[in-house]
Amino acid sequence: MSIKLKTRVENIVKLLDEKKGEEIEVFNLEDSDYIAKAVILVNSLGGKHTGALYDNLRVAFREFGESILGADESDDWIVIDLGDILIHIMTPQYRMRYSIEEFLKELKEGKFKSDKENI
């Protein structure tokens, strides 16, 4: 992970941890064929906490100079797009149901790479 990207990810993880985000996991996908270079997963304590974590990130991003390109919100799951970083804030139930970790691990291992040489 580049130093700049690593620093940005560390700042986000630190803030999520300070605001009681749980089971924070970071995936470095720079060498993968994916829309983002890094993905951060974090559990919230519940619906209101999901929104509160997002609100805290929005305030901090102004200080960090980060720009949110888009976000998809519900009470149980918020996805924040910073371009090269995706942040998934979700309740533990949603995280278990969708098993994003498994997909990201398989992606990182190259399971979904297309064989471009045969095209």
Side-chain angles (χ1 to χ4, degrees), residues 7-93:
T7 301
R8 291 169 59 217
V9 167
E10 287 172 351
N11 286 337
I12 294 166
V13 167
K14 181 180 178 189
L15 178 71
L16 291 169
D17 185 54
E18 288 172 355
K19 299 300 180 182
K20 307 296 185 224
E22 297 182 339
E23 296 186 41
I24 301 169
E25 197 167 352
V26 175
F27 291 86
N28 177 0
L29 300 172
E30 283 185 305
D31 296 330
S32 301
D33 189 19
Y34 193 59
I35 58 174
K37 294 180 180 180
V39 176
I40 302 169
L41 304 178
V42 59
N43 284 3
S44 67
L45 301 173
K48 289 183 181 181
H49 189 231
T50 303
L53 286 172
Y54 180 42
D55 290 341
N56 283 299
L57 284 174
R58 282 193 289 207
V59 170
F61 287 161
R62 284 192 287 266
E63 295 171 22
F64 296 162
E66 289 281 357
S67 296
I68 296 174
L69 301 179
D72 191 8
E73 297 181 55
S74 75
D75 287 340
D76 297 304
W77 190 353
I78 297 175
V79 181
I80 305 163
D81 182 359
L82 302 178
D84 55 352
I85 301 172
L86 287 177
I87 305 163
H88 293 267
I89 305 169
M90 61 189 82
T91 61
Q93 297 82 2

